[in-house]
Amino acid sequence: MKLKTYLPILDWGKRYNRATLTSDLVAAVIVTIMLIPQSLAYALLAGLPPEVGLYASVLPLVAYAIFGTSSALAVGPVAVVSLMTAAAVGRLAAEGTADYASAAILLALLSGTMLTVMGLFRLGFIANFLSHPVISGFITASGIIIATSQVGGLLGIKTEGHALPQLVLSIADNIGAINWNTVEVGAVALALLLWIRLDLKNWLNRFGVPKGVVTIIVRAGPVLVVFLTMAWSALFDLAGKGVALVGQVPQGLPMLALPSFNLDTIQALLLPALIISVVGFVESISVAQTLAAKRRERIDPNQELIGLGASNIAAAIGGGYPVTGGFARSVVNFDAGAATPAAGAFTAIGIAGATLLLTPFLAILPKATLAATIVLAVLTLVDFSILKRAWNYSKADFAAVVITLLGTLLLGVEVGISLGVGASILIFLYRSSQPHAAIVGQVPGTEHYRNVKRHNVDTTPDVLSIRVDESLYFANARYLQDLVGNQAAQNPEIKDVVLMCSAVNAIDMSALESLEAIQHQLSDFGVRLHLSEVKGPVMDRLAGTDFLVHLSGGVHLSQHQAMLAIAAARNAKLLHTAPAEHAEAKKLLVRR
């Protein structure tokens, strides 16, 4: 059973049959066609030779098929991780050098190792530190940076930088060197790709083309644009007119090997590898869970960490660079009917075949075509609507989006995501340091107690009932202490204070000391402190302390019982609980 947990292929492999084989093969053909131009383009975005994108699309897919849990997730190069790779490796080596390629491979190995270790130690919760507003701001900013970085490729000029100001200045400095033949190729490629995405399907449907054939043609559209511009390049000698071409691409697959290890390089890449690992995992698991929900399948986040880790280690061994699950190709894989992770393995075979057979022809491919492919792909990443939604819902979340977006745009991807994570943590600490606490009263005719500011309720002037809506810990304990103290000081008629703890899931030692301070302060005022609706685990903790022994009031199962007990005690003039009775009450509560 444990072996199947770490090798999901042993589970779904038993149920594999001819029907699933057919579904997986059809999906693999469609995804392979889509993946070829994307892989070439994303490798260039990462500052690597285009064939590296193909290398990164072979072994990682096989590794994920063995270790992954999603039937539809398609692993490979993606735009955001490619940009982050370029930013990380570009600080260590010049683009186009052997050291640059070696550092990218090492980055994949480090990322894969980190992901695998996180999975083995079941640390998938780490991804929760990247909130949705932070991810949205980061991806939107990354999309803008990526699109801007490709302007040079569309204009035939050189651009440098991994943040928006550097890219804009670079474009401005070289604007006079525009190659109009390149502009023409880029504009035509962009227009064709846009038409394929927006209108080709409708156009084919009007001619009565079968639905399955339409899907294949639309998915193959980018490949057709690649072949068209290659023919254009050959027939009109675009190279002689100054149009940048991909150039000679090595034929065949690379030798399997681990990258060379250099301690200084490893130290420089550790933080970028961690950031890439977490960002890649968040993107991948979001896609996998979304698609799995449509089929009522189960995704194991910790096993997904292992699957992605194995994929990145495989990418390093196969001469690639960091990979993750891509949204667009995974959706295509899902829509095409992929039934098991074996569809990815079949896609790997298709990519390997293309690497062996098609690479000699890629030398005449204009780089402007790949730039157009990237621009169109990343347009879907840009979503400014998150700013309006965040502003309307939560100003704190809006601040996190803006900090992440501006930080990424102005300072780069690593600084931007770090600022976003920092902002999220600070916002969480700020929110939890000021827990929501409401003065409550009784809803007439019921045993329910609600916020006096929101409901028509009955209150007792000499009893203050406060509902605490957060767990109590070191960051917010002082807030509650000040709140109770101020209320008691401002209202001299108060004789009893009841803390309604129905939403308190934990009380740490700092909060316990604050409760003891509240007890002492109220005793000085001649006010008794009571607790109500204390949860069992919290009560177990309190039972091991002296707090309950010195508690001037009581601990009650419900808020209503607390109010009845206070009223009954006053009516009977039993204002002080006898020690023996208090001890017996404590024993009963501990048994909860």
Side-chain angles (χ1 to χ4, degrees), residues 27-28 31 71-74 295 328-338 343-344 347:
V31 175
S71 61
L73 191 70
R295 292 180 177 173
R329 71 175 67 102
S330 296
V331 171
V332 170
N333 200 32
F334 178 88
D335 291 341
T347 300

Side-chain angles (χ1 to χ4, degrees), residues 9-32:
I9 190 173
L10 297 178
D11 182 32
W12 60 260
K14 292 189 305 183
R15 303 187 298 273
Y16 208 74
N17 53 43
R18 183 175 296 180
T20 51
L21 173 63
T22 302
S23 298
D24 288 343
L25 285 174
V26 171
V29 170
I30 294 174
V31 175
T32 298

Side-chain angles (χ1 to χ4, degrees), residues 463-467 496-500 528-532 556 559 562-563 566:
V463 179
L464 173 66
S465 295
I466 299 178
R467 188 187 68 221
D496 292 270
V497 171
V498 184
L499 295 182
M500 185 176 174
R528 290 168 296 277
L529 175 65
H530 308 261
L531 304 180
S532 74
H556 308 275
Q559 179 68 19
M563 297 301 292
I566 291 171

Side-chain angles (χ1 to χ4, degrees), residues 371-496:
T373 301
I374 294 173
V375 169
L376 197 61
V378 300
L379 285 178
T380 57
L381 301 179
V382 179
D383 178 21
F384 286 113
S385 66
I386 184 63
L387 292 170
K388 181 179 179 181
R389 296 199 306 273
W391 176 263
N392 291 334
Y393 187 77
S394 167
K395 301 303 184 288
D397 286 334
F398 174 80
V401 174
V402 171
I403 289 171
T404 307
L405 194 150
L406 292 180
T408 304
L409 286 177
L410 301 178
L411 303 174
V413 290
E414 292 175 7
V415 176
I417 196 69
S418 300
L419 286 173
V421 172
S424 294
I425 293 173
L426 287 175
I427 289 170
F428 166 76
L429 291 175
Y430 173 76
R431 285 172 171 168
S432 62
S433 68
Q434 296 185 312
H436 182 265
I439 297 175
V440 297
Q442 183 179 9
V443 178
T446 73
E447 295 183 4
H448 300 292
Y449 289 76
R450 296 292 184 267
N451 191 338
V452 297
K453 295 181 179 179
R454 294 178 178 272
H455 300 272
N456 238 342
V457 293
D458 295 332
T459 59
T460 304
D462 56 357
V463 179
L464 173 66
S465 295
I466 299 178
R467 188 187 68 221
V468 184
D469 292 335
E470 298 273 357
S471 291
L472 299 176
Y473 72 117
F474 65 91
N476 62 21
R478 182 71 189 185
Y479 178 86
L480 179 64
Q481 185 177 337
D482 291 342
L483 174 65
V484 175
N486 290 338
Q487 288 290 329
Q490 293 171 10
N491 300 282
E493 69 274 17
I494 292 176
K495 299 300 180 185
D496 292 270

Side-chain angles (χ1 to χ4, degrees), residues 82 96 117 152 194 242 291 355 358:
S82 297
V117 171
L194 194 59
L291 298 178
T355 305
L358 298 181

Side-chain angles (χ1 to χ4, degrees), residues 3-13 59-70 303-304 306-308 310-311 314 340-342 344-345:
L3 189 60
K4 288 181 181 179
T5 301
Y6 292 107
L7 292 172
I9 190 173
L10 297 178
D11 182 32
W12 60 260
L59 289 184
L61 286 165
V62 177
Y64 185 82
I66 297 172
F67 295 98
T69 62
S70 172
Q303 183 60 31
E304 281 299 291
I306 295 174
L308 286 177
S311 298
T340 71

